[in-house]
Amino acid sequence: MKLATAANNSPDGMLVVVSNDGSRFLIPENIQTLQQAIENWNATEKQCQHLSQRLKNGEGESTDTLKIIAPLPRAWQWLDGSAFPSHGKLMQEAFKLPPLEYEKPLMYQGMSHQFFGPTDDIPFMREDDGIDFEGEFGVIVDEVPMGTTAEDAMAHIKLLVQINDWSLRTIAPVEMKTGFGWIQAKPACSMAPLAITPNEAGDSWRDGRLHLDMIVDWNDPRFGNPNGATMEVGFHELVAHAAATRSLCAGTIIGSGTVSNDNYREVGSTCISERRGIEILDEGAPKTEFMKFGDQVRMQVLHSDDSSLFGTLEQKVVKQS
């Protein structure tokens, strides 16, 4: 099934169940928000599945009457991984970063109290902060007990999402050197309109990975379409890593990190920083500039039948007023 959140003048919006093509919706009874649904998944899943079947039978109202916002407009916790080794190796080589002597999955805890919706304009203070997009896959889990194994973690992955993890590349290297993590360099992320149950992805969801292309267009030209299959560790392993010494509350979002493939020169990238890294290696210096006010980025993931799995993320960068 596919779930979305509609604006209703409340911070968390209103949960709706959406048809496969995103054109129609039905409203669950006594389930106000996606956060409420994920906290009570065993009780709410059945009702939402029933509404999903009704939508398949042609029922429902037009989603044109709704303003769709992020599936979780705010979350208790956002943990972002870096699970695509080609991205890390490229960045390390291009920017002459010291090798990491760390055998566990990479992950940081980011800002979670706000997620921009799929068509929101994204405000930034300055162009010279190095505005960059980052296409990622993500999962939303129910409550995960401390010490959950990777094998058991798979059952806690209830929903899949698509994320644009905005980054400010001029600020990031300075903050990284402090050893305290990112604050200014990692503003609020954006989410595609639909959160889907793993079965909606069919055979493309396996081994804790989504074996589909992340398609990114920047100001219309195709920027990249790398595939999500090359994660070094699957989402179940990222969940287990996050839960090694803490429990995870229901509604925790975990990201894959920048989707990247070894053949990035052929398939392109999902962030500008990676493109600049390729230019440094190939030509000695970066040529591609970061985003300017007025620029637009579009992201989507097409299923095997060419339907948009998560709907479309399409946003414009604007100056903070």
Side-chain angles (χ1 to χ4, degrees), residues 66-125:
L66 304 175
K67 175 176 172 51
I68 300 297
I69 56 179
L72 280 177
R74 57 181 180 171
W76 287 105
Q77 187 164 222
W78 155 238
L79 304 173
D80 197 14
S82 182
F84 289 89
S86 56
H87 177 73
K89 291 175 184 176
L90 172 61
M91 295 295 99
Q92 187 178 75
E93 185 178 355
F95 297 102
K96 296 181 171 53
L97 302 174
L100 284 174
E101 296 182 0
Y102 189 67
E103 296 180 354
K104 297 178 181 180
L106 296 175
M107 184 175 286
Y108 73 92
Q109 185 159 344
M111 170 181 168
S112 63
H113 70 271
Q114 178 186 19
F115 284 87
F116 287 111
T119 59
D120 290 340
D121 289 345
I122 311 301
F124 293 98
M125 295 295 294

Side-chain angles (χ1 to χ4, degrees), residues 13-68:
M14 174 182 68
L15 176 67
V16 294
V17 183
V18 180
S19 61
N20 191 59
D21 63 0
S23 67
R24 289 170 290 106
F25 75 95
L26 289 169
I27 302 173
E29 293 183 8
N30 303 317
I31 311 172
Q32 296 179 350
T33 67
L34 180 57
Q35 180 64 37
Q36 182 185 0
I38 204 75
E39 287 176 353
N40 303 277
W41 193 252
N42 289 339
T44 58
E45 181 185 19
K46 185 175 180 180
Q47 182 188 159
C48 290
Q49 289 283 15
H50 176 67
L51 294 182
S52 180
Q53 185 58 54
R54 286 174 56 188
L55 287 162
K56 290 178 181 178
N57 294 336
E59 296 185 46
E61 300 178 50
S62 172
T63 51
D64 290 341
T65 62
L66 304 175
K67 175 176 172 51
I68 300 297

Side-chain angles (χ1 to χ4, degrees), residues 146-162:
M146 184 191 305
T148 294
T149 65
E151 181 180 4
D152 291 339
M154 192 68 82
H156 291 284
I157 297 173
K158 301 304 183 184
L159 296 169
L160 310 180
V161 292
Q162 179 189 345

